[in-house]
Amino acid sequence: TQHASFCAFAPFDDPEIAITVLLPGGGEGSTFAVPIADAVLAAYFGREPMEPEEDDDSEENDELDDPDFDDESSPEQDEEPDSDEPT
């Protein structure tokens, strides 16, 4: 599972705000986390958020829009037994 993340601070020359956006299972950071960070920064600085760019590979993250997508379907990893326990 991909996790989207993005960190930023602004303004560059004299930072007064820092932001981290973490979206567990959120796909690509540039697709999902960046627009959220932009909306927060826009509100902070009193400007309009940037318009999202059209993505040619929008099918890549279809599972995020699919209500039937089961994130729990990934294979479980077996835990290794403790070395102190007899096998």
Side-chain angles (χ1 to χ4, degrees), residues 17-30:
I17 184 173
I19 183 171
T20 298
V21 177
L22 299 172
L23 299 172
E28 293 290 326
S30 61

Side-chain angles (χ1 to χ4, degrees), residues 1-9 19-38 41 61 64:
T1 302
Q2 285 185 318
H3 305 298
S5 64
F6 182 76
C7 298
F9 63 89
I19 183 171
T20 298
V21 177
L22 299 172
L23 299 172
E28 293 290 326
S30 61
T31 304
F32 298 102
V34 170
I36 294 170
D38 177 59
L41 292 171
N61 293 307
L64 298 175

Side-chain angles (χ1 to χ4, degrees), residues 6-85:
F6 182 76
C7 298
F9 63 89
F12 177 77
D13 293 332
D14 188 19
E16 57 186 73
I17 184 173
I19 183 171
T20 298
V21 177
L22 299 172
L23 299 172
E28 293 290 326
S30 61
T31 304
F32 298 102
V34 170
I36 294 170
D38 177 59
V40 171
L41 292 171
Y44 182 85
F45 287 109
R47 65 166 176 82
E48 290 294 317
M50 298 182 337
E51 291 293 321
E53 295 180 10
E54 291 297 320
D55 194 6
D56 291 337
D57 58 344
S58 60
E59 292 180 20
E60 176 181 329
N61 293 307
D62 281 346
E63 69 271 7
L64 298 175
D65 298 323
D66 183 359
D68 296 324
F69 178 73
D70 181 14
D71 191 35
E72 301 298 321
S73 64
S74 60
E76 297 290 325
Q77 292 184 356
D78 294 331
E79 291 184 23
E80 293 185 22
D82 291 338
S83 59
D84 295 341
E85 295 180 22

